[in-house]
């Protein structure tokens, strides 16, 4: 064998060693847990043959605790670029089979390199996390590594989309990188996220809690809202990431890809004329409305199990990617509260940052009253949504289906928050408050003087409702552009979006605003 041949064989051998990660035993252990390895995940995620690996020969340089004798292939992370549906993405996948995917100084450098390249190239970053946290032997160097990643997450925010898949443990400060990214996805049963694990919880609080109950996928998809998606399998997780990418642009200077639309743009839906119940206290399902309006009834929902009183997600209108925000009358009457406001605000800001128009479907009776809400700062959370809509410069089309009362009317993309085209169905009730509340405030004294105060108030309520619970008062002042027939809503939204295609609007020059956090 020539010297050159020997060198090539050595290269092949080195590559093979790195590709084997923690070795066959560790890989088998990973599989036994129902988990794939970092490389298997990347091969599912990226277009076949598109993965361009970087830095496979990087090694750690820690000498504490005999670490100088420990070889950690790729230093526990696989990084590089590839394509998904032909579009460039940068990826990193932590390899749990080596040192539990723990984060070291050099692993952080590898991750930071792909993040930097993603920023230069204007491409999304997808991180597949599966890690025991900071590599304990490395001490502050691991902490510094995390901080380097966080800083890049922050600088990339609003410039390139960032997606975090949580495919295993994600503990301690490690949770902050996913939290800083745009979308987080968790695996049911095999992934968890928490700042302090069950053992620390037991020591500090004396509380017994399992990892699943503390920070499993169900907790973060229903109670905390930390995660945007959960899936039962890794295959579905990968498919979800791909689907998500299909709705969003590569960076903040581009628009989301157009898709072919074979659903007639003027498809009228007679069922929509009947969907609002005669009784204003009766619910209907907003999903039915969304599916009736969007291309082929396809709606890609985000955070579907969290704050169900508001619905957010992506859909296409005539092939154009659009962010949909809709109150859900079927859940808590579609009321706005702390969680629903936060949920929608973050989504509105994502859409605005990445040039995705917003379609808002309104049926909101108001903000949820009570100490529970006030103590949890509903004022600030509601203000987040107000701020997000008011700041957004993307095309904003709003359709009020039924209720739109008081502060919640303003918050839900009203005209004066620079709403571009605001429509209402004939069933809309756009007013400062409901008839009963208004009569109670305006006529309390007079009612007390009546022989039948109840009947008097009912009469006043009916009077107020007749006068204000309709769309025509708002239309009279130009606060809505038109009252439209429900069956034509799809066409009207599509035509509005076409009109707004080249919208240009600015916010005053500033370093940044001060959103009420
Ligand atoms: C170094 C680690 C490690 C870590 C795991 N390993 N976590 N090595 N630093 N943080 C190693 C293990 O020693 C083991 O090595 C291998 O990875 C696999 O781990 P196991 O424990 O065998 O796996 P499993 O039973 O599945 O348990 C997984 C685990 C557990 C729940 C993640 O490993 C664990 O509790 N790890 C520590 C979690 C933690 O406290 N991390 C530090 C958080 S502090 P061998 O050689 O035996 O295969 C932090 C601060 C960051 O992250 C702050 C940033 C701002």
């Amino acid at each position: 064998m020539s010297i050159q041949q020997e060198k090539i064989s050595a290269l092949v051998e080195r590559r093979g060693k790195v590709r084997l990660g923690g070795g066959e035993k560790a890989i088998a252990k990973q599989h036994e847990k129902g988990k794939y390895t970092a490389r298997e995940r990347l091969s599912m995620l990226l277009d076949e043959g598109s993965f361009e690996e970087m830095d496979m020969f990087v090694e750690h340089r820690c000498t504490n605790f005999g670490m100088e004798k420990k070889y950690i292939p790729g230093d526990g992370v696989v990084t590089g670029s590839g394509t998904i549906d032909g579009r460039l993405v940068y990826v990193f996948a932590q390899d749990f089979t080596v040192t539990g995917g723990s984060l070291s100084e050099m692993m952080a450098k590898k991750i930071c390199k792909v993040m930097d390249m993603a920023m230069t190239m204007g491409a999304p970053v997808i991180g597949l996390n599966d890690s025991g946290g900071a590599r304990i032997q490395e001490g502050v160097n691991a902490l510094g590594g995390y901080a380097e990643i966080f800083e890049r997450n922050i600088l990339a925010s609003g410039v390139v989309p960032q997606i975090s898949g949580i495919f295993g443990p994600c503990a301690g400060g490690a949770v902050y990188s996913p939290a800083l990214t745009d979308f987080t996805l968790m695996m049911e049963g095999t992934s968890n996220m928490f700042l302090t694990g069950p053992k620390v919880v037991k020591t500090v609080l004396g509380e017994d809690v399992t990892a699943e109950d503390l920070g499993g996928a169900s907790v973060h998809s229903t109670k905390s809202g930390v995660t945007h998606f959960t899936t039962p399998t890794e295959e579905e997780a990968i498919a979800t990431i791909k689907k998500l990418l299909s709705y969003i642009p590569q960076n903040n200077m581009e628009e989301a890809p157009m898709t072919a639309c074979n659903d007639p743009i003027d498809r009228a839906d007679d069922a929509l004329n009947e969907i609002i119940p005669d009784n204003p206290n009766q619910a209907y399902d907003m999903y039915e409305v969304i599916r009736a309006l969007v291309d082929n009834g396809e709606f890609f929902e985000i955070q579907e199990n969290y704050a169900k009183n508001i619905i957010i997600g992506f859909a296409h209108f005539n092939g154009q990617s659009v962010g949909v925000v809709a109150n859900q009358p079927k859940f808590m009457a579609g009321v706005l509260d702390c969680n629903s406001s936060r949920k929608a605000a973050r989504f509105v800001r994502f859409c605005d940052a990445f040039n995705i128009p917003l379609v808002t479907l309104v049926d909101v009776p108001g903000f949820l009253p009570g100490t529970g809400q006030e103590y949890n700062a509903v004022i600030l959370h509601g203000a987040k949504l107000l701020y997000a809509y008011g700041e957004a410069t993307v095309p904003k089309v709003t359709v009020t289906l039924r209720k739109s009362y008081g502060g919640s009317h303003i918050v839900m993309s009203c005209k004066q928050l620079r709403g571009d085209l605001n429509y209402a169905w004939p069933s809309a009730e756009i007013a400062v408050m409901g008839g009963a509340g208004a009569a109670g405030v305006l006529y309390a004294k007079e009612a007390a003087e009546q022989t039948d105060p109840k009947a008097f108030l009912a009469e006043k309520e009916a009077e107020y409702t007749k006068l204000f619970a309709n769309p025509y008062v708002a239309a009279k002042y130009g606060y809505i552009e038109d009252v439209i027939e429900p069956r034509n809503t799809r066409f009207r939204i599509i035509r509005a979006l076409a009109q707004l295609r080249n919208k240009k609007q600015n916010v005053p020059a500033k370093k940044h605003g001060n959103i009420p956090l």
Side-chain angles (χ1 to χ4, degrees), residues 29 33 70 96 98-102 131-137 143 146 150 169 171-174:
K29 205 172 155 193
K33 290 182 195 159
K70 193 156 181 180
F96 193 84
V98 269
T99 327
S102 56
S131 165
R135 191 171 299 160
I136 293 160
Q137 299 91 331
L143 291 187
Y146 268 126
F150 300 162

Side-chain angles (χ1 to χ4, degrees), residues 101-400:
S102 56
L103 189 124
S104 65
E105 171 205 10
M106 296 309 287
M107 180 196 280
K109 279 199 186 330
K110 283 180 72 171
I111 293 174
C112 288
K113 191 190 272 189
V114 287
M115 294 177 82
D116 289 342
M117 291 193 74
M119 285 287 273
T120 311
M121 254 44 83
V125 185
I126 304 164
L128 307 183
N129 298 262
D130 189 359
S131 165
R135 191 171 299 160
I136 293 160
Q137 299 91 331
E138 293 213 1
V140 290
N141 283 336
L143 291 187
Y146 268 126
E148 294 274 359
I149 295 170
F150 300 162
E151 179 64 30
R152 281 163 179 79
N153 286 136
I154 295 160
L155 295 178
S157 181
V159 181
V160 293
Q162 303 180 79
I163 300 169
S164 301
I166 314 297
F167 285 74
C170 184
V175 297
Y176 282 121
S177 178
L180 289 165
T181 62
D182 299 302
F183 296 103
T184 299
L185 179 146
M186 289 182 78
M187 238 58 51
E188 289 158 22
T190 48
S191 73
N192 45 58
M193 295 177 81
F194 35 69
L195 262 180
T196 45
K199 280 186 194 150
V200 179
V201 172
K202 176 76 184 164
T203 313
V204 178
L205 302 169
E207 206 180 293
D208 282 307
V209 64
T210 62
E212 181 63 22
D213 286 345
L214 186 62
S218 72
V219 168
H220 289 310
S221 60
T222 59
K223 290 186 165 62
S224 73
V226 164
T227 193
H228 299 87
F229 306 97
T230 63
T231 61
T233 66
E234 295 199 11
E235 284 88 347
E236 284 162 274
I238 299 285
T240 303
I241 294 173
K242 291 187 193 186
K243 184 95 182 147
L244 170 62
L245 281 172
S246 74
Y247 287 100
I248 61 184
Q250 289 290 91
N251 57 62
N252 64 337
M253 304 302 281
E254 294 183 19
E255 295 201 349
M258 288 288 291
T259 58
C261 176
N262 49 21
D263 190 356
I265 60 167
D266 57 355
R267 175 174 52 75
D269 195 323
D270 291 334
L272 291 181
N273 278 5
E274 304 288 333
I275 201 160
I276 303 291
D278 286 342
N279 176 354
N281 296 323
Q282 205 175 316
Y284 59 94
D285 191 353
M286 187 61 88
Y287 287 115
E288 278 181 37
V289 178
I290 296 171
R291 282 193 287 265
L293 298 179
V294 303
D295 290 358
N296 305 312
E298 274 176 37
F299 179 54
F300 182 70
E301 191 172 2
I302 297 161
Q303 289 185 304
E304 64 176 304
N305 293 315
Y306 178 72
K308 292 181 181 182
N309 34 338
I310 208 154
I311 300 169
I312 55 170
F314 295 113
H316 291 111
F317 279 96
N318 194 19
Q320 185 181 11
S321 180
V322 163
V324 177
V325 179
N327 310 111
Q328 168 59 297
K330 244 188 121 178
F331 194 84
M332 293 166 68
V335 74
L336 276 176
D337 59 359
C338 296
N339 293 348
S340 58
S341 300
R342 276 196 307 131
K343 170 180 165 180
R346 188 154 163 79
F347 181 66
V348 167
R349 296 194 101 213
F350 176 84
C351 291
D352 186 47
F354 289 102
N355 313 316
I356 299 169
L358 288 160
V359 168
T360 305
L361 305 175
V362 182
D363 188 345
V364 60
F367 275 97
L368 186 62
T371 49
Q373 289 296 307
E374 298 292 354
Y375 292 179
N376 279 303
V378 68
I379 294 172
L380 294 181
H381 296 304
K384 288 183 176 82
L385 186 53
L386 180 60
Y387 193 112
Y389 268 123
E391 189 184 40
T393 57
V394 287
K396 290 183 281 192
V397 180
T398 305
V399 184
T400 301

Side-chain angles (χ1 to χ4, degrees), residues 445-463:
K445 265 195 201 146
E446 256 183 85
E449 290 158 10
Q450 308 295 317
T451 43
D452 186 349
K454 251 185 165 175
F456 177 78
L457 282 176
E459 196 186 303
K460 291 294 173 196
E461 177 186 339
E463 214 175 284

